[in-house]
Amino acid sequence: MSTSGSESDSVAAKRSMKPKYSKFTQQELPAWKPLYTPGIVIGAFSLIGIIFIPIGLVSIAASQEVVELVDKYDGECVTANDKVGFIQDTKTDKACTRTITVPKPMKGPIQVYYQLENFYQNHRRYVKSRSDNQLRSKEFSSVIKTCDPEAISEGGAPIVPCGLIAWSLFNDTFTFSVNKKTVQVNKKNIAWSSDRTIKFGSDVFPENFQKGGLIGGGQLNEKLPLSEQEDLIVWMRTAALPTFRKLYGRIETDIMASDEITVVIQNNYNTYSFGGTKALVLSTTSWIGGKNNFIGFAYVAIGTISLLIALAFVGLNMVKPRTLGDPSYLSWNKENPDYVQ
């Protein structure tokens, strides 16, 4: 009986799912378990406040130095009551002249952005409607499986570049003059270097693009490879939020205070059918980038809250001090014979 019992026990042990005992699997390895004394807690919160508040103030100061001009032109640049009909009429002259007075000196290079609102580039169907393989190499020009509904032309030939993102390319144009002197916009290197060299091939040229019955946005130069068409590359990097800015180009010259910037806008892009808005943005930059007060205020807020918590703990420790317990009674110290009190 004893032999059969031992055999059944060994079989049960083999079938058991219990892991083999080790200090690693049972989380019994030596570990640092600090005691959070009032001094350590107060010091930590004070240190956070002392570091964060100056960083926030410096960030706010840098953001305040940025000069940013925003001109919403979508409403003023349409002369008809039927805005959708106006923007879809190919025979209508859509040129619009806007004048902007510069309040502060703007040191070049001045970033030129276009800003769209209520445009959901992050929609799942929109984001998926592209072929990265097709954009990368000529040998994949017929890989259009993920590009519906803009995959093939009316004649059945593949569209290059295919997909809704490329089809809806922004096509408003801006011409600038300062005090009646024409200013050139530099459109080189506005896209990420990795996008130009890796994601968009130098042997891929547009084919059958915007030749269907419904035109979505801008045209592409069929004589230039996609790697050199930076307006497309910038547009194809989809935005995460419905309000976004994309780089149009750079003005390399300085613009002084009280100068008048005249902008001739070709108002081609249809945002009226879905209730979107368009704006032109001119902005200088600082070491922190463009105008962004949120980062600075966030640092100041977190630092201030940390200092207030530190002061609260100081007051609490002074009003109701609490004697710390003897660490020798902690379970991990009681089990450690080498612990010295």
Side-chain angles (χ1 to χ4, degrees):
M1 294 294 291
S2 60
T3 304
S4 60
S6 60
E7 290 178 354
S8 60
D9 292 340
S10 61
V11 172
K14 289 181 180 179
R15 293 179 179 177
S16 174
M17 301 299 292
K18 183 178 179 179
K20 184 180 179 180
Y21 172 82
S22 70
K23 288 188 176 183
F24 177 77
T25 58
Q26 298 302 317
Q27 300 184 16
E28 294 179 356
L29 292 173
W32 181 52
K33 301 175 182 178
L35 291 175
Y36 295 106
T37 63
I40 292 176
V41 173
I42 292 170
F45 278 110
S46 300
L47 183 63
I48 292 173
I50 292 171
I51 294 175
F52 274 45
I53 290 177
I55 293 176
L57 294 176
V58 171
S59 300
I60 292 172
S63 180
Q64 294 299 321
E65 292 178 359
V66 174
V67 182
E68 183 179 277
L69 306 176
V70 181
D71 180 44
K72 288 191 175 183
Y73 63 88
D74 56 287
E76 289 76 3
C77 285
V78 176
T79 57
N81 293 327
D82 183 8
K83 295 182 177 181
V84 176
F86 173 86
I87 206 72
Q88 290 180 342
D89 189 353
T90 57
K91 298 179 180 180
T92 303
D93 181 16
K94 301 181 181 64
C96 174
T97 302
R98 306 284 293 168
T99 302
I100 305 171
T101 302
V102 181
K104 297 179 181 179
M106 301 180 73
K107 187 176 181 180
I110 300 168
Q111 313 296 317
V112 181
Y113 301 93
Y114 55 88
Q115 176 176 297
L116 298 181
E117 295 183 13
N118 200 36
F119 192 115
Y120 289 83
Q121 273 199 318
N122 60 348
H123 191 283
R124 183 179 64 86
R125 187 180 183 190
Y126 184 89
V127 171
K128 291 178 65 177
S129 185
R130 62 186 292 165
S131 174
D132 289 318
N133 287 329
Q134 185 198 64
L135 297 172
R136 192 178 299 115
S137 176
K138 182 180 180 180
E139 63 178 301
F140 298 113
S141 60
S142 59
V143 179
I144 55 176
K145 183 179 180 181
T146 58
C147 290
D148 287 337
E150 292 296 322
I152 57 174
S153 63
E154 292 181 344
I159 298 173
V160 181
C162 64
L164 286 173
I165 305 176
W167 175 79
S168 61
L169 173 65
F170 185 82
N171 62 337
D172 283 5
T173 61
F174 310 100
T175 305
F176 296 88
S177 60
V178 179
N179 297 330
K180 298 182 180 180
K181 294 182 180 179
T182 302
V183 175
Q184 298 298 323
V185 178
N186 182 8
K187 298 178 72 68
K188 291 290 185 181
N189 298 323
I190 61 174
W192 290 20
S193 176
S194 59
D195 288 352
R196 297 195 307 268
T197 58
I198 299 174
K199 291 189 175 182
F200 291 79
S202 58
D203 62 343
V204 183
F205 292 81
E207 296 177 16
N208 306 307
F209 187 71
Q210 301 288 25
K211 293 183 179 179
L214 183 62
I215 305 300
Q219 300 285 345
L220 294 175
N221 189 340
E222 295 186 353
K223 297 181 180 180
L224 286 179
L226 297 186
S227 60
E228 296 182 19
Q229 308 211 33
E230 297 195 45
D231 284 329
L232 172 70
I233 299 174
V234 170
W235 180 257
M236 294 287 286
R237 183 168 283 277
T238 53
L241 300 174
T243 298
F244 58 86
R245 295 177 181 178
K246 291 184 181 289
L247 188 60
Y248 179 82
R250 298 183 182 90
I251 297 174
E252 303 292 349
T253 58
D254 298 343
I255 301 178
M256 299 296 105
S258 302
D259 283 353
E260 280 196 352
I261 303 175
T262 303
V263 189
V264 179
I265 303 171
Q266 287 294 331
N267 185 28
N268 301 315
Y269 200 69
N270 182 11
T271 59
Y272 307 98
S273 59
F274 58 86
T277 63
K278 299 184 288 186
L280 171 66
V281 181
L282 303 177
S283 176
T284 59
T285 56
S286 66
W287 62 268
I288 201 172
K291 195 173 189 66
N292 187 352
N293 292 325
F294 173 78
I295 295 176
F297 284 121
Y299 270 101
V300 171
I302 293 172
T304 303
I305 292 172
S306 298
L307 285 181
L308 291 176
I309 293 174
L311 290 174
F313 278 128
V314 169
L316 185 63
N317 192 48
M318 293 177 65
V319 174
K320 291 184 178 181
R322 180 179 176 184
T323 304
L324 290 177
D326 187 349
S328 63
Y329 286 100
L330 295 174
S331 60
W332 54 85
N333 287 333
K334 290 175 68 177
E335 296 172 358
N336 184 8
D338 297 330
Y339 179 77
V340 180
Q341 297 188 11

